[in-house]
Amino acid sequence: MSESQTTRLLPWVSPDGKTCVLLSDGRGESGLSRVADRIEDVQLDMADGLLDHAADLLGDDTATDRQLRFLGEQLSAALRDVRRVAESRGVRLSR
């Protein structure tokens, strides 16, 4: 890899769960980099919406175990996404 090339952690994993990275020139202007930016934004927006839903559901005394279990699974997935976004952005900011 030349000095001008960088790697970027992408906001998704392969079908078998492996990390996906983008090797680029470091400017962040490629089409795939822009797609990754949009997906990160969607993931963060979805996490915000899920947190709002969680507050409502946890305040509902009639929520079922099944609903709460599903909420926990979705919160866990959202947290993985947000952690991946934070890691990717943290690396890019430290350059």
Side-chain angles (χ1 to χ4, degrees):
M1 182 166 62
S2 74
E3 285 185 35
S4 64
Q5 291 182 323
T6 61
T7 57
R8 175 186 177 164
L9 179 65
L10 294 172
W12 55 80
V13 295
S14 70
D16 57 349
K18 293 183 180 176
T19 298
C20 293
V21 294
L22 171 64
L23 179 62
S24 71
D25 62 8
R27 293 181 307 194
E29 297 174 5
S30 73
L32 186 56
S33 185
R34 287 189 298 273
V35 168
D37 289 342
R38 288 193 301 270
I39 289 175
E40 285 180 351
D41 290 341
V42 167
Q43 289 172 325
L44 294 174
D45 288 345
M46 288 175 65
D48 282 340
L50 188 56
L51 286 171
D52 292 341
H53 178 64
D56 292 341
L57 190 60
L58 292 171
D60 182 356
D61 292 336
T62 64
T64 66
D65 288 346
R66 185 174 181 190
Q67 289 173 313
L68 294 172
R69 189 174 308 107
F70 182 74
L71 173 65
E73 291 167 355
Q74 297 306 305
L75 286 169
S76 179
L79 184 56
R80 273 191 298 277
D81 290 343
V82 169
R83 183 181 64 191
R84 180 177 290 280
V85 170
E87 182 181 347
S88 177
R89 290 183 179 186
V91 168
R92 285 182 278 149
L93 288 174
S94 68
R95 292 186 189 135

